[in-house]
Amino acid sequence: RYDNQAYHFGFTLGISQNKFQIGYSELFLEQNLFEQILSRYQSGFNVGIIMDFKIHENYNLRITPSFNFTDQKLYYLNNNIEDIQPNKNTGVSNFEVPMYLKYRSDRINNGRCFLLFGGSFVLDMSSVEKLTQATNLQFSKTNYSIDLGFGVDIYFAYFKFSPEIKYCYGIKNILMYQDNIYSQAINHISTRSILISLTFE
């Protein structure tokens, strides 16, 4: 009966690893204030709801509005001394609206594999507070990504449990230009994320 439902709901919990892809400018090669600009993976926590609509025997449309609590930092290094930017960043609360096409394999006993493909719209809910502060590096409050994932549906008597992993490839330059060396040394910044989540439907 479960697979014959036109729609159903659920929730998801997950952990993420997030970092930046950096494109350096010519000014970075000319300056001598710092030797490297690095991005490191920052851990995050994700929680959201699932809205799933059946469009075919093996295809579903899935929308999962969620919150992702993480951090966004760049490390400017000179003689092993780190200058962390944005220097007043205390964390990021992203509201994300992913929309996926879910392809499910044929069910074997109480399990089936699936693939996810789609995209996400991301809104930084903490950006309003940041813009009221004077910072050396600022990011756009919106972002877009292309997402690809896979997982396994495991059926139980009263619910379905699904571990899944997704890779999110940011396609927008989120760097907001400012007239300082921190911003001028970079041409563009985009996001890269890995999300491991558990869903209950």
Side-chain angles (χ1 to χ4, degrees):
R1 294 194 300 270
Y2 185 90
D3 284 334
N4 294 327
Q5 296 179 21
Y7 62 89
H8 64 267
F9 301 94
F11 67 94
T12 177
L13 300 171
I15 56 174
S16 62
Q17 290 289 312
N18 313 276
K19 69 174 298 185
F20 292 128
Q21 183 72 28
I22 305 171
Y24 304 97
S25 69
E26 293 184 1
L27 183 62
F28 173 73
L29 301 176
E30 299 171 358
Q31 56 80 40
N32 56 9
L33 294 178
F34 32 80
E35 301 167 350
Q36 291 179 292
I37 306 176
L38 301 178
S39 174
R40 297 168 181 160
Y41 276 106
Q42 306 285 340
S43 298
F45 175 73
N46 183 280
V47 59
I49 61 173
I50 298 170
M51 297 179 288
D52 194 283
F53 305 91
K54 182 179 179 180
I55 57 179
H56 186 268
E57 185 64 28
N58 294 93
Y59 293 91
N60 289 46
L61 178 65
R62 168 165 293 205
I63 304 172
T64 57
S66 56
F67 284 95
N68 189 26
F69 305 96
T70 182
D71 209 345
Q72 292 178 324
K73 293 178 181 178
L74 288 181
Y75 298 84
Y76 292 75
L77 276 66
N78 189 27
N79 294 325
N80 294 322
I81 299 176
E82 292 184 347
D83 185 358
I84 301 175
Q85 296 292 331
N87 55 1
K88 297 182 180 180
N89 190 5
T90 57
V92 177
S93 302
N94 287 331
F95 177 64
E96 303 177 353
V97 186
M99 181 178 293
Y100 301 129
L101 179 65
K102 179 180 179 180
Y103 169 75
R104 307 182 300 167
S105 67
D106 293 335
R107 180 171 171 174
I108 301 175
N109 296 323
N110 288 321
R112 67 198 308 174
C113 299
F114 64 85
L115 295 174
L116 295 171
F117 178 76
S120 299
F121 169 75
V122 181
L123 176 64
D124 182 0
M125 302 295 290
S126 55
S127 61
V128 175
E129 178 183 350
K130 294 177 189 175
L131 291 176
T132 63
Q133 304 172 347
T135 59
N136 293 319
L137 199 66
Q138 290 183 356
F139 306 118
S140 170
K141 67 178 182 178
T142 60
N143 192 17
Y144 311 93
S145 69
I146 297 174
D147 304 349
L148 181 65
F150 65 91
V152 179
D153 287 335
I154 304 172
Y155 293 82
F156 292 90
Y158 299 105
F159 68 96
K160 184 177 69 174
F161 168 71
S162 305
E164 64 181 43
I165 182 169
K166 292 195 295 282
Y167 178 72
C168 305
Y169 184 94
I171 57 177
K172 179 180 178 180
N173 179 10
I174 64 170
L175 177 66
M176 296 181 64
Y177 179 81
Q178 292 179 282
D179 190 17
N180 59 57
I181 188 61
Y182 297 97
S183 178
Q184 293 173 350
I186 301 173
N187 273 334
H188 72 268
I189 297 175
S190 54
T191 57
R192 303 289 186 267
S193 301
I194 298 173
L195 174 64
I196 299 174
S197 56
L198 303 176
T199 67
F200 301 84
E201 304 171 51

